[in-house]
Amino acid sequence: MKSFFKGGYGKSSNILIYVCLIYYVLASLLAPGFFTMNNSWNILYNLLPLLVVAIGQTYVMITAGIDLSVTSIIAVCSIAGGYVMSSDTSIFSDPESIFFGILTMLLVGMVIGMVNGISVTKFGMPAFMVTLTTMMLFSGFAIWCTQSQNIYNLPEPFVNMSYSFFLGIPVPVFIGVFVLVLAYFLLNKTLFGEWIYAIGLNCEVAKISGVKVHRTLILVYMFSGFCAAVGAIFYTARLETGSPVMGQNILLDVIGAVVIGGTSLFGGKGKIIWTFFGALFMTLLDNSLNLIGLSFFLIMIVKGAVILAAAMLNTLKEKSLKTTA
Amino acid sequence: MNKTTQRILNNSTLVLFAIVLLTFSILSHHFFSFQNFFNILVQASSLAIIATGMTFVLLTAGIDLSVGSIMFLAGVISGKLVVAGFPLWMACTLVLVIGVLFGLINGAFIFKAKVIPFIVTLATFYVGRGLGLFISETRAVNLPESFLKIGSTKFFGVPAPIIVMTIVIIAGHLVLTKTIFGKHLYAVGHDEVKSRKAGIPVDGLLLKVYIICGFCAALGGLVAIAQLGAISPTFGLQSEFMAIAASVLGGTSLFGGRGSIFPGTLIGVLLIQSIQNGLVMVNADPYLYTVITGGVIFLIVLIDSIRHLQQKKLKRLGIN
């Protein structure tokens, strides 16, 4: 039954590819300025942070959990990195400060993820409540720490990261692809990945079968924190500031990208590549509607409707698969 | 584990409530007064009404994230209508109708299309807020005096918000404990498949539950704006999380089938409101409010989960 579902969902990712393609063609024809070099870069740079954060969320959702705290992790990482790197507050000189700044961001992300993971596993708290309260806690903490002020004067090389190249490839693309490949490899080629699916399908059975449930879950939440931290690096570099409200509005996009990709909130199914196309679709939607000149609240309505439609299609498909079986 | 610790763990919310009250009473001599407790009740009325609706949804193992958006949208529409010269009663009725409609939409998607509540209400959350922002043009809607008057009206010395809150809580409590509908609710929350087999009309029940939640959200929004006098673009933001937190603090399980409105949810609401009121009383840094509220909720959920783990362990020992 389970492998059957996986087969069924393999097709769904194909459909999503076509949907993305058709939408791309339509947007190129209808939205002025969509099919230009400049806008393609725009799409790419909007896609990367969303994709990275959504990949972490996919991991958590496969284990039947949810991580609502990603936005607050982005905010805390952004200000932590900002403090370490900004020439106003930094104790390091220029080149080292970037290294330590990025290191701090990744560490902060993973530590918050670890707090989530330990609360979920060792204390058996529901993931929804844990990440909801850590979201309140850490986003409140970020705003309190900075007294709602942005952190400016980040070092030049860090800010220019978005526009610098490594081996002919833009650095952010390099990082994004690295995270994508790493996530794909971990999930599909390692025992760790198999354990993640096993926990999502049935936690009790997994435990009896010898899966180290606690350790795996903690690592999953840490990975989600890590991904959010990478997202924070992208956003902080692009906005050239450390901001305590950074990423506040992307929770819908993140969860939307994962759900449109077909990952189940009940756990056990989901693929990195589905999330990739889910994130791509959300970005295309956002970008093209912006170009047409829709206001941001109308875009909000459209996005909500699209997520609902995607979720309905998934359930319908599941039903038809069940009846044909 | 001895009996006293067991008892403390079993009533963790009450114990924490007492600690919170005690702490603030020591820190500020204005906190522990009849007048202030009265204030807390008035301030808590809106959240209590919303949380009552939320408790119904949580009992069926569902969730409603669209509550804050319903409050906002309903408030904006009624505000615009009143400003445009419509009579007050008409605007208020329309608000409640909008709440019911939203609940109907949520419920229909959940039981007709079988989409899980989290996604449906996340979508309606964005649709509702988007519509509200569109109608209000992202500006604050200032309400006329007549609206504020409702908020400060008193019957026999009791402010109107407290009366509305009391009616909603009593009604909710009676529906849950005295009617077949209430019993069915718990059954569905415990095990939907078995309830269906037992002949409980699960679909209609779910629809009703989301309608109740939507209605309560609109009513709670009305009570809140009658006290505020204006609707800012951020009105109702995160209200759904506060309502969920209040229900959970009051002992309602997110997995359905367990919980109560009275005393459960009411205590949760009063606890949250006391913390927020107390922080104002002791002149805490406003930026710290969310940190402390979040921290306390985290602590209570933590204690509750530890208690469950302990009970499981005890049960296992008993069986062995």
Side-chain angles (χ1 to χ4, degrees):
Chain A
M1 195 68 178
K2 299 300 182 210
S3 61
F4 172 75
F5 269 124
K6 267 184 196 164
Y9 268 81
K11 277 178 199 153
S12 106
S13 100
N14 287 339
I15 293 172
L16 196 58
I17 296 172
Y18 296 133
V19 170
C20 282
L21 260 175
I22 293 168
Y23 193 85
Y24 190 81
V25 173
L26 278 179
S28 305
L29 294 174
L30 297 176
F34 182 83
F35 195 69
T36 56
M37 200 57 202
N38 218 341
N39 192 50
S40 302
W41 280 115
N42 234 334
I43 293 175
L44 185 67
Y45 283 136
N46 284 334
L47 170 67
L48 283 171
L50 178 65
L51 172 66
V52 170
V53 182
I55 285 174
Q57 188 74 256
T58 310
Y59 267 58
V60 176
M61 281 199 190
I62 292 176
T63 66
I66 192 160
D67 191 350
L68 299 173
S69 68
V70 281
T71 53
S72 71
I73 295 178
I74 292 174
V76 174
C77 286
S78 176
I79 65 156
Y83 272 132
V84 174
M85 283 188 287
S86 168
S87 55
D88 303 338
T89 49
S90 181
I91 48 170
F92 304 106
S93 54
D94 201 5
E96 293 99 76
S97 74
I98 296 177
F99 173 75
F100 282 109
I102 290 177
L103 197 69
T104 315
M105 289 165 104
L106 295 179
L107 276 178
V108 167
M110 288 199 279
V111 167
I112 298 178
M114 198 162 78
V115 172
N116 286 336
I118 289 176
S119 312
V120 170
T121 54
K122 299 279 179 199
F123 303 118
M125 296 161 74
F128 183 87
M129 281 315 283
V130 170
T131 54
L132 174 63
T133 47
T134 47
M135 174 182 85
M136 287 171 69
L137 253 172
F138 288 111
S139 67
F141 174 78
I143 293 171
W144 172 67
C145 257
T146 53
Q147 295 292 303
S148 210
Q149 301 287 319
N150 286 345
I151 300 168
Y152 299 104
N153 294 327
L154 301 181
E156 279 296 315
F158 179 74
V159 170
N160 289 335
M161 185 188 77
S162 315
Y163 314 105
S164 40
F165 290 79
F166 181 72
L167 300 176
I169 305 166
V171 174
V173 176
F174 208 77
I175 301 172
V177 171
F178 172 74
V179 173
L180 189 74
V181 171
L182 177 76
Y184 180 83
F185 177 78
L186 280 178
L187 198 58
N188 294 297
K189 305 287 175 207
T190 63
L191 185 63
F192 175 62
E194 275 179 38
W195 282 0
I196 293 175
Y197 281 111
I199 291 172
L201 283 176
N202 195 329
C203 190
E204 289 300 313
V205 172
K207 200 178 271 177
I208 295 165
S209 321
V211 173
K212 293 194 174 61
V213 172
H214 285 194
R215 211 204 292 167
T216 311
L217 274 178
I218 292 173
L219 282 173
V220 162
Y221 282 92
M222 278 174 76
F223 186 72
S224 176
F226 169 83
C227 287
V230 175
I233 294 173
F234 286 147
Y235 282 123
T236 311
R238 269 194 82 193
L239 298 177
E240 306 185 6
T241 46
S243 157
V245 291
M246 187 170 279
Q248 237 179 16
N249 296 323
I250 68 158
L251 189 63
L252 168 76
D253 294 26
V254 172
I255 291 177
V258 181
V259 170
I260 288 178
T263 300
S264 161
L265 278 162
F266 297 115
K269 42 188 174 180
K271 276 182 185 165
I272 298 300
I273 201 70
W274 301 350
T275 300
F276 173 79
F277 284 107
L280 181 65
F281 186 67
M282 286 306 271
T283 314
L284 288 177
L285 196 66
D286 203 47
N287 181 277
S288 57
L289 294 180
N290 255 317
L291 284 178
I292 298 173
L294 284 190
S295 51
F296 104 95
F297 30 85
L298 282 176
I299 296 178
M300 226 159 132
I301 299 173
V302 173
K303 274 188 195 166
V306 165
I307 291 178
L308 200 54
M312 264 175 68
L313 277 179
N314 271 341
T315 9
L316 278 180
K317 199 159 52 224
E318 219 163 293
K319 241 194 238 166
S320 68
L321 281 176
K322 261 182 203 166
T323 46
T324 50
Chain B
M1 193 163 47
N2 62 35
K3 264 187 183 161
T4 23
T5 38
Q6 183 67 48
R7 203 166 292 160
I8 290 173
L9 278 179
N10 275 338
N11 296 304
S12 51
T13 307
L14 278 177
V15 173
L16 232 96
F17 195 17
I19 293 174
V20 165
L21 288 184
L22 201 69
T23 317
F24 283 126
S25 304
I26 293 168
L27 288 175
S28 158
H29 52 270
H30 296 299
F31 183 78
F32 199 83
S33 66
F34 184 72
Q35 185 53 46
N36 192 45
F37 287 145
F38 214 64
N39 277 342
I40 291 177
L41 270 182
V42 174
Q43 290 161 356
S45 51
S46 158
L47 181 60
I49 294 165
I50 301 163
T52 303
M54 187 63 85
T55 309
F56 274 91
V57 172
L58 291 180
L59 279 175
T60 63
I63 199 160
D64 191 345
L65 299 175
S66 66
V67 162
S69 296
I70 298 176
M71 282 170 73
F72 178 62
L73 179 63
V76 166
I77 290 178
S78 71
K80 282 273 172 193
L81 283 179
V82 173
V83 171
F86 277 82
L88 207 55
W89 62 267
M90 211 176 184
C92 288
T93 323
L94 198 70
V95 166
L96 298 178
V97 171
I98 292 169
V100 169
L101 258 170
F102 248 79
L104 194 70
I105 294 170
N106 282 336
F109 271 109
I110 289 163
F111 95 89
K112 272 270 183 217
K114 304 275 182 251
V115 184
I116 56 170
F118 185 91
I119 294 298
V120 173
T121 55
L122 186 71
T124 46
F125 164 86
Y126 281 95
V127 172
R129 188 151 288 275
L131 273 176
L133 288 172
F134 179 65
I135 293 168
S136 68
E137 294 161 327
T138 57
R139 267 180 293 212
V141 180
N142 289 308
L143 298 167
E145 275 298 304
S146 52
F147 231 122
L148 272 173
K149 261 185 204 149
I150 311 176
S152 50
T153 327
K154 285 182 181 177
F155 296 98
F156 309 110
V158 186
I162 294 187
I163 293 176
V164 178
M165 170 178 82
T166 317
I167 293 172
V168 169
I169 286 179
I170 290 175
H173 179 69
L174 289 180
V175 167
L176 275 192
T177 51
K178 302 284 179 222
T179 63
I180 297 173
F181 176 72
K183 288 207 176 79
H184 284 175
L185 215 64
Y186 282 98
V188 171
H190 262 297
D191 196 327
E192 199 187 309
V193 180
K194 275 183 194 160
S195 313
R196 227 178 261 276
K197 280 181 187 155
I200 295 175
V202 176
D203 292 342
L205 192 112
L206 285 182
L207 190 65
K208 276 180 208 151
V209 163
Y210 284 92
I211 289 175
I212 291 173
C213 191
F215 176 81
C216 285
L219 187 63
L222 215 53
V223 170
I225 55 176
Q227 291 172 47
L228 291 170
I231 309 161
S232 70
T234 56
F235 174 74
L237 218 56
Q238 294 206 332
S239 289
E240 57 280 348
F241 289 148
M242 282 302 170
I244 294 169
S247 298
V248 171
L249 292 188
T252 304
S253 162
L254 280 173
F255 305 110
R258 191 167 61 91
S260 66
I261 287 172
F262 183 85
T265 301
L266 182 63
I267 291 180
V269 170
L270 290 180
L271 174 58
I272 290 180
Q273 205 56 55
S274 303
I275 295 169
Q276 296 196 327
N277 175 287
L279 287 172
V280 178
M281 284 286 166
V282 298
N283 266 332
D285 184 344
Y287 290 128
L288 270 179
Y289 291 1
T290 40
V291 181
I292 294 175
T293 317
V296 171
I297 299 171
F298 184 85
L299 205 66
I300 295 175
V301 180
L302 178 71
I303 295 170
D304 191 52
S305 304
I306 291 175
R307 192 188 76 209
H308 271 279
L309 287 181
Q310 296 280 8
Q311 277 172 348
K312 243 197 229 166
K313 222 180 260 172
L314 284 178
K315 234 184 226 169
R316 212 178 301 152
L317 286 175
I319 290 165
N320 290 346

